[in-house]
Amino acid sequence: MSLVIVGSVAFDKIETPYGQTDKIIGGAGTYICFSSSYFAKNPKVVAVVGNDFPQTFIEKLTSRGVETTGLQVKKEGKTFFWSGKYHENMNSRETLVTELNVLGDFDPIIPESYQDCTYLMLGNLSPVVQRQVIERLTKRPKLIVMDTMNFWMDIMFDELVKTISMVDVLTINDEEAAQLSGEKNIVKAAKKILNMGPKYLIIKKGEHGALMFSKEGQFYAPALPLESVFDPTGAGDTFAGGFIGYIAKTDDISFDNMKSAMIAGSALASFCVEKFGTERIENLSDTEIKARIRTFIDLSTFEFKF
Ligand code: AMP
């Protein structure tokens, strides 16, 4: 089944208690492309980069089977740049710099070969661009999943709410859920957000796993207890990529299958945090992914004797 991904492709600069990077490649779209590619066949990316972006990295994406016809390389202008800092508590981070650069006036062009899109993943970027992608597809995809962040809530709240009303699944973290809904309590926040339109809401809670809310029920996927989390950047995007990749592979949008998709996403995210940037998720083997999924299953299933 055909999967289309839109999202930022970026340069990141990251500081954690374990060290810091120079400019490395990141971006929501990048993480989603890598992680979804372990499940979905030939995901197709819609994104924009500047003339400073290395062609060798685009080749890394294509070598994972990602179709890059929809990745615009601008002759003028620089790639989106984001810099963030984590303190001792790696669950919360501070954004130091956001330079939109070519993302600021991104006009997403959907190649003809993308029009067979069955599954659409709207990774983090402007809610206006996310909506344009939905509107420029001639047929509504079977499932639209959207991720976003506080940055867009701060500067484009109304546009964001409009786009949220058009999607099936929204994934955000717990702080963003509170900001979006104005409710600190996660259950009250979820109720309010589900009233904005999405049928499913996944609230990511970093090292405390992820919760899915819907009219059909709730589901909790744990995060793998890790001795050291090296760099959480991109974990949320990697989760979303694993989630939509698994749905696309199985072509099943039932609530039960979404539970498995959450475990697939959590497993991929647990690799992501083991190294800086995308390094750990660029070349995973099937064997290690299956073993990690097995660990998640063992972690969360048991027989209870009444
Ligand atoms: P996550 O840790 O999953 O929230 O994602 C981190 C990634 O999001 C980084 O690689 C950044 O390049 C990217 N990012 C940060 N801010 C934005 C933004 N405002 N719009 C789009 N992508 C962003």
Side-chain angles (χ1 to χ4, degrees):
M1 287 296 137
S2 168
L3 168 64
V4 171
I5 295 159
V6 58
S8 55
V9 172
F11 283 123
D12 288 350
K13 196 168 180 298
I14 303 156
E15 220 183 300
T16 79
Y18 299 98
Q20 64 181 53
T21 66
D22 287 326
K23 271 190 180 179
I24 57 167
I25 288 162
T30 313
Y31 285 99
I32 296 168
C33 282
F34 278 122
S35 64
S36 65
S37 74
Y38 292 101
F39 298 108
K41 234 176 139 206
N42 305 120
K44 301 166 179 177
V45 66
V46 176
V48 65
V49 292
N51 56 17
D52 50 353
F53 197 79
Q55 176 64 27
T56 45
F57 197 87
I58 299 178
E59 283 155 19
K60 270 192 191 177
L61 291 174
T62 47
S63 74
R64 285 276 342 134
V66 177
E67 189 180 328
T68 56
T69 326
L71 174 63
Q72 300 174 34
V73 181
K74 293 287 175 199
K75 286 209 179 75
E76 274 168 34
K78 291 200 294 184
T79 301
F80 173 78
F81 173 66
W82 174 82
S83 167
K85 182 175 179 172
Y86 297 86
H87 301 278
E88 274 315 310
N89 173 5
M90 300 270 266
N91 274 334
S92 78
R93 76 170 169 221
E94 200 186 325
T95 288
L96 303 177
V97 183
T98 302
E99 286 172 10
L100 291 177
N101 299 329
V102 290
L103 204 60
D105 55 2
F106 179 35
D107 181 19
I109 296 165
I110 313 293
E112 197 42 48
S113 59
Y114 285 36
Q115 288 295 352
D116 63 349
C117 168
T118 323
Y119 294 100
L120 176 62
M121 178 68 228
L122 300 173
N124 186 17
L125 44 57
S126 152
V128 174
V129 173
Q130 290 176 318
R131 196 163 64 243
Q132 278 170 338
V133 174
I134 301 177
E135 286 165 353
R136 291 178 184 183
L137 286 169
T138 46
K139 216 174 100 226
R140 191 192 192 276
K142 192 165 164 185
L143 192 82
I144 305 177
V145 180
M146 171 182 175
D147 187 55
T148 188
M149 78 185 290
N150 54 353
F151 179 83
W152 303 109
M153 295 177 195
D154 292 340
I155 66 165
M156 281 192 190
F157 191 83
D158 292 345
E159 295 289 358
L160 183 70
V161 170
K162 209 164 147 191
T163 307
I164 287 175
S165 74
M166 297 167 78
V167 307
D168 303 298
V169 184
L170 177 68
T171 69
I172 44 176
N173 72 29
D174 40 4
E175 284 176 15
E176 291 154 356
Q179 183 173 349
L180 182 62
S181 63
E183 290 285 355
K184 282 214 171 83
N185 177 282
I186 200 165
V187 180
K188 284 186 183 159
K191 263 193 194 160
K192 274 202 175 170
I193 297 169
L194 286 173
N195 278 334
M196 295 177 180
K199 290 185 214 63
Y200 305 91
L201 168 69
I202 297 175
I203 300 185
K204 299 166 286 182
K205 290 161 63 70
E207 65 172 332
H208 304 299
L211 268 160
M212 175 164 60
F213 294 88
S214 86
K215 288 206 176 79
E216 290 163 72
Q218 298 177 6
F219 180 68
Y220 171 68
L224 193 67
L226 292 165
E227 217 169 292
S228 63
V229 171
F230 206 70
D231 170 22
T233 309
D237 310 310
T238 304
F239 171 89
F243 177 85
I244 192 72
Y246 184 81
I247 301 254
K249 174 190 156 93
T250 50
D251 192 23
D252 176 353
I253 58 169
S254 67
F255 181 63
D256 272 345
N257 198 51
M258 284 193 193
K259 296 179 186 174
S260 303
M262 280 182 70
I263 297 297
S266 307
L268 264 295
S270 74
F271 286 115
C272 176
V273 302
E274 289 176 354
K275 289 203 171 152
F276 270 121
T278 54
E279 193 183 340
R280 187 69 178 101
I281 57 161
E282 286 176 19
N283 279 305
L284 291 166
S285 72
D286 257 17
T287 319
E288 57 188 337
I289 294 174
K290 280 192 183 134
R292 191 60 65 95
I293 290 176
R294 175 62 52 203
T295 308
F296 269 85
I297 296 170
D298 292 343
L299 195 66
S300 49
T301 47
F302 58 91
E303 248 180 73
F304 188 89
K305 293 184 187 69
F306 282 99

